[in-house]
Every structure is written in C-alpha cells, then in structure tokens.
Amino acid sequence: MNWDRIEGQWKQFKGKVKEQWGELTDDEFDQIAGKRDQLVGRIQQHYGIARDEAERQVRDWEGRL
C-alpha cells in the first residue's frame, strides 16, 4: 500500500484504521494524519506492545486493504 496515497486520503482511511485499532482517540488520529511511523508508534504506545509487533499489525492491515 502506498502511504502517500493513505496520507492524502486520510479522512477516508481513518474509518478503516478505527475498525482495526478502536482504542485510538480522534485526537490521536488527527496527530497521525496518515503517517505510517506515527501510526505504528501510537499503536505501540496505546496497546503496550513491542515496535516489531506494531509493525507486523500495520503490515497485516495493509495487506487486507
């Protein structure tokens, strides 16, 4: 998945991200603004998981898009 595309269309993708990681807040989604590294960091922080696991979850999510 092209993250430039996701960043450009963040409002559309935000709903799909919320389905996957529903514990993230609207403010966090605004701060992420379609940036992959921000998303990985927020998932890691919010869910208390290792960065590798957060990366894996985002890769799996990308594959389902």
Side-chain angles (χ1 to χ4, degrees), residues 22-37:
E23 290 184 20
L24 298 175
T25 66
D26 287 334
D27 285 343
E28 288 174 312
F29 282 112
D30 291 342
Q31 292 170 354
I32 292 166
K35 293 176 178 61
R36 188 182 193 283
D37 61 326

Side-chain angles (χ1 to χ4, degrees), residues 10-55:
W10 182 240
K11 290 185 189 243
Q12 289 85 358
F13 280 100
K14 194 162 53 169
K16 294 177 190 266
V17 176
K18 277 186 180 183
E19 288 175 13
Q20 181 69 32
W21 297 285
E23 290 184 20
L24 298 175
T25 66
D26 287 334
D27 285 343
E28 288 174 312
F29 282 112
D30 291 342
Q31 292 170 354
I32 292 166
K35 293 176 178 61
R36 188 182 193 283
D37 61 326
Q38 289 284 324
L39 176 60
V40 170
R42 292 291 174 167
I43 293 167
Q44 178 187 6
Q45 179 182 18
H46 211 87
Y47 289 89
I49 59 176
R51 184 150 188 100
D52 290 346
E53 174 61 17
E55 287 277 357

